C-alpha cells in the first residue's frame, strides 16, 4: 500500500497540464505463472476441498483486472488429474504477484508447492473458450 501511495504522490507531483492519469502511472505488467502442486497422495483432495474458495478468489482477481486467464495443469487430457496451475496475471512487480499467490487459498491449504513467474507480453489477445 505504501508503494502504491508513493506512485500516486509522484504522479501528482510530476503532473503537467493534467496529461498524466492514475492509469498512466500504474502501467501494469503481464506475467505468466507456472505453479507446481505438492506430490503427496492427499494433495488432490486438498485441492478439491479448497477449489470453491480458490475459484471465488480468482473471480475477484479477474473482475479487478489482476487475472487474465488461469487453469489447471493436467497429467493428461484423458485422465484429467490436476497437478498444478498456470495463469496470466497483471501486477506492478514480481514481488506484488508473489505476495498475491501467497494469499491464495491453494497456497494456504498446501496445494501449491512452488511457482515460477515469467515476465510476459501478449502479442495476440482474445477470449479463451472453455470446454463444455
Amino acid at each position: 500500500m505504501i508503494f502504491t501511495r508513493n506512485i500516486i504522490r509522484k504522479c501528482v507531483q510530476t503532473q503537467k497540464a493534467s496529461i498524466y492519469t492514475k492509469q498512466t502511472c500504474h502501467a501494469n505488467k503481464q506475467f505468466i505463472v507456472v505453479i507446481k502442486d505438492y506430490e503427496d497422495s492427499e494433495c488432490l483432495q486438498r485441492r478439491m476441498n479448497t477449489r470453491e474458495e480458490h475459484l471465488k478468489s480468482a473471480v475477484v482477481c479477474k473482475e479487478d483486472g489482476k487475472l487474465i486467464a488461469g487453469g489447471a495443469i493436467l497429467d493428461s487430457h484423458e485422465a484429467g488429474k490436476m497437478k498444478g496451475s498456470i495463469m496470466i496475471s497483471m501486477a506492478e512487480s514480481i514481488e506484488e504477484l508473489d505476495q498475491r499467490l501467497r494469499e491464495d487459498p491453494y497456497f494456504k491449504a498446501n496445494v501449491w508447492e512452488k511457482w515460477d513467474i515469467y515476465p510476459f507480453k501478449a502479442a495476440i489477445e482474445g477470449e479463451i473458450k472453455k470446454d463444455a
Side-chain angles (χ1 to χ4, degrees):
M1 194 64 144
I2 294 169
F3 180 68
T4 302
R5 284 190 210 143
N6 287 340
I7 290 174
I8 292 170
R9 189 175 302 121
K10 184 176 180 183
C11 185
V12 171
Q13 290 171 350
T14 60
Q15 193 173 32
K16 294 182 181 177
S18 299
I19 59 171
Y20 295 103
T21 66
K22 184 178 174 186
Q23 186 176 15
T24 303
C25 292
H26 289 281
N28 277 331
K29 300 173 182 105
Q30 298 173 342
F31 296 93
I32 296 278
V33 185
V34 180
I35 306 166
K36 187 174 183 319
D37 286 0
Y38 283 95
E39 294 183 359
D40 62 275
S41 60
E42 291 82 32
C43 185
L44 183 57
Q45 188 59 51
R46 290 193 305 275
R47 178 185 267 271
M48 299 314 293
N49 291 345
T50 313
R51 191 165 194 257
E52 186 175 337
E53 184 182 359
H54 164 75
L55 291 175
K56 284 179 184 177
S57 174
V59 167
V60 170
C61 284
K62 174 79 171 156
E63 290 171 351
D64 290 346
K66 297 176 183 176
L67 179 65
I68 297 170
I73 296 172
L74 308 175
D75 60 350
S76 70
H77 282 99
E78 294 73 28
K81 180 183 173 205
M82 294 176 267
K83 64 179 199 170
S85 302
I86 192 162
M87 63 181 73
I88 303 173
S89 293
M90 302 291 288
E92 269 304 308
S93 66
I94 288 176
E95 294 79 15
E96 176 189 318
L97 183 52
D98 186 73
Q99 182 59 39
R100 194 181 319 148
L101 293 167
R102 292 178 187 284
E103 294 168 3
D104 189 280
Y106 275 173
F107 179 74
K108 291 180 177 181
N110 291 321
V111 174
W112 288 346
E113 179 181 17
K114 58 187 175 181
W115 51 77
D116 292 310
I117 300 173
Y118 302 96
F120 175 73
K121 184 175 180 182
I124 300 173
E125 296 182 13
E127 288 293 316
I128 296 175
K129 295 182 182 181
K130 292 176 60 174
D131 291 339

